[in-house]
Amino acid sequence: VKRGEKRKHPAPPFTTSNLQQEASRKLGFTTAKTMQIAQQLYEGVDIEGRGTLGLISYIRTDSVRLSDEAVAAAREAIAARYGAEYVPEKPNVYKGRKSAQDAHEAIRPANIDLRPEEIKASLTKDQFNLYKLVYLRFVACQMADAIMDTVSSDIVSEGYIFRASGYKVAFPGFTAVYEEST
């Protein structure tokens, strides 16, 4: 029997292609539908009592870079909503591909204080679902790692080895908010 600990890191914030893939897996959207709705969220939606607001940052990007202000706001929001233990010691920084142009930052909510549930009444179902996806992925990308207690055992019988393994969540970290689909 072997016991251990495994850390799981949060996924980086969305690039255009990651957003399209995740929207397809989680929401069943086509690429065209994802980009059409993302464009609406970027250009602005009439939010009751607040006027027309752009809800997400520029949607055509291959960068995973985030502004210092956005990271600071996310870390503050995470500490307030989930507790200080969910905020990593240092902000999570993600490395992009060498071929990335890095002209625009990653896709993220324009204002971390506009939680999806609070503006749901002003959005269509598809807008709400896509905004929630972007919002939760951004928040999760700045949260602490998830920690799993692992156990595996090898059972030897008549010359054969059978392996059983499993894990228990010791600390949910970012998985309390979001997990990437596969």
Side-chain angles (χ1 to χ4, degrees), residues 18-87:
N18 293 138
L19 176 63
Q20 291 168 344
Q21 291 165 13
E22 195 73 347
S24 174
R25 286 190 294 253
K26 283 197 168 162
L27 306 174
F29 289 0
T30 63
T31 301
K33 183 175 183 175
T34 299
M35 295 312 289
Q36 178 186 16
I37 295 166
Q39 186 72 33
Q40 293 165 5
L41 295 174
Y42 169 70
E43 288 175 355
V45 178
D46 188 29
I47 304 298
E48 192 176 321
R50 297 186 184 207
T52 301
L53 299 174
L55 298 177
I56 62 175
S57 62
Y58 190 61
I59 55 171
R60 290 177 181 84
T61 181
D62 59 358
S63 175
V64 290
R65 178 180 50 83
L66 295 166
S67 71
D68 294 340
E69 296 82 13
V71 170
R75 290 171 62 83
E76 253 178 59
I78 293 163
R81 291 179 204 155
Y82 302 99
E85 66 274 15
Y86 284 86
V87 181

Side-chain angles (χ1 to χ4, degrees), residues 94-109:
Y94 299 92
K95 296 260 189 265
R97 296 185 334 264
K98 283 190 192 264
S99 62
Q101 293 178 351
D102 205 34
H104 302 281
E105 64 179 304
I107 301 170
R108 63 170 178 83

Side-chain angles (χ1 to χ4, degrees), residues 23-179:
S24 174
R25 286 190 294 253
K26 283 197 168 162
L27 306 174
F29 289 0
T30 63
T31 301
K33 183 175 183 175
T34 299
M35 295 312 289
Q36 178 186 16
I37 295 166
Q39 186 72 33
Q40 293 165 5
L41 295 174
Y42 169 70
E43 288 175 355
V45 178
D46 188 29
I47 304 298
E48 192 176 321
R50 297 186 184 207
T52 301
L53 299 174
L55 298 177
I56 62 175
S57 62
Y58 190 61
I59 55 171
R60 290 177 181 84
T61 181
D62 59 358
S63 175
V64 290
R65 178 180 50 83
L66 295 166
S67 71
D68 294 340
E69 296 82 13
V71 170
R75 290 171 62 83
E76 253 178 59
I78 293 163
R81 291 179 204 155
Y82 302 99
E85 66 274 15
Y86 284 86
V87 181
E89 206 174 292
K90 293 180 185 167
N92 294 332
V93 178
Y94 299 92
K95 296 260 189 265
R97 296 185 334 264
K98 283 190 192 264
S99 62
Q101 293 178 351
D102 205 34
H104 302 281
E105 64 179 304
I107 301 170
R108 63 170 178 83
N111 181 348
I112 194 76
D113 296 326
L114 282 178
R115 295 168 81 168
E117 303 75 35
E118 293 171 7
I119 61 172
K120 184 176 184 175
S122 299
L123 303 175
T124 67
K125 182 182 175 210
D126 289 342
Q127 287 173 336
F128 170 75
N129 287 333
L130 192 64
Y131 179 64
K132 185 176 177 186
L133 192 69
V134 170
Y135 188 93
L136 294 179
R137 172 81 166 241
F138 170 67
V139 170
C141 86
Q142 288 305 312
M143 291 179 79
D145 293 348
I147 301 172
M148 316 294 183
D149 288 333
T150 61
V151 63
S152 67
S153 60
D154 289 347
I155 302 151
V156 180
S157 176
E158 297 182 22
Y160 293 97
I161 300 174
F162 299 94
R163 176 167 288 152
S165 59
Y167 68 91
K168 181 177 82 175
V169 177
F171 176 68
F174 75 92
T175 62
V177 176
Y178 181 91
E179 269 193 90

